Amino acid sequence: MENCMRFTKILIDIDIERRLSIPVTCFTKQYGGVGGGANTIKLVVKDAENGDKLTFVFSKRAATNSKFDIVQGWRQFVCSKNLRIGDLIDFRWEPDFVEGGSGQYKIQFKRMSLRLSV
């Protein structure tokens, strides 16, 4: 599911092993237009599970110009959460009404994959 406020995805092998791709529409409201014309975006994203601040660097795909790939910070997140194929990622923009700020990006995962013990 995608719109300018939220992107969810069931992870596949390339998401776990290399990168997560997020449509540029997820950045439209905050950066104007298609990612504000930027080819690279550095974001501080809040881990919705524990409140930690994570720094992700996104790079726009040259060929399609329709997606940003997380090129820094993603693999560390995958390893720290022990993410697997089939788990669900929820990347979203949440307005900040309490502190008077504009809002923040959050990332969260839900364990969806079945684990078998050996």
Side-chain angles (χ1 to χ4, degrees):
M1 172 174 77
E2 69 180 80
N3 61 37
C4 67
M5 300 300 274
R6 174 173 250 155
F7 171 75
T8 58
K9 182 179 186 192
I10 295 174
L11 299 176
I12 61 173
D13 56 349
I14 196 165
D15 302 324
I16 299 297
E17 297 165 6
R18 297 183 62 201
R19 66 177 179 269
L20 179 68
S21 298
I22 298 179
V24 294
T25 56
C26 293
F27 303 99
T28 301
K29 183 174 182 176
Q30 293 71 34
Y31 290 93
V34 180
N39 290 323
T40 303
I41 297 174
K42 183 177 181 178
L43 288 179
V44 176
V45 178
K46 184 176 182 179
D47 183 333
E49 180 183 26
N50 59 22
D52 287 350
K53 303 288 184 182
L54 311 167
T55 301
F56 291 135
V57 176
F58 297 79
S59 179
K60 191 183 292 181
R61 286 191 187 178
T64 65
N65 208 31
S66 64
K67 293 187 179 186
F68 276 98
D69 296 330
I70 303 178
V71 295
Q72 290 179 16
W74 173 247
R75 285 289 303 141
Q76 294 88 337
F77 182 75
V78 167
C79 292
S80 72
K81 301 297 184 181
N82 195 27
L83 296 181
R84 303 274 191 227
I85 294 169
D87 289 346
L88 179 80
I89 281 293
D90 180 13
F91 180 84
R92 63 189 181 271
W93 172 261
E94 289 189 358
D96 183 2
F97 299 112
V98 176
E99 298 179 21
S102 62
Q104 64 185 345
Y105 283 99
K106 289 187 178 179
I107 191 165
Q108 187 172 7
F109 78 96
K110 183 175 181 183
R111 193 74 64 204
M112 303 291 284
S113 55
L114 176 65
R115 304 269 206 275
L116 298 176
S117 300
V118 181

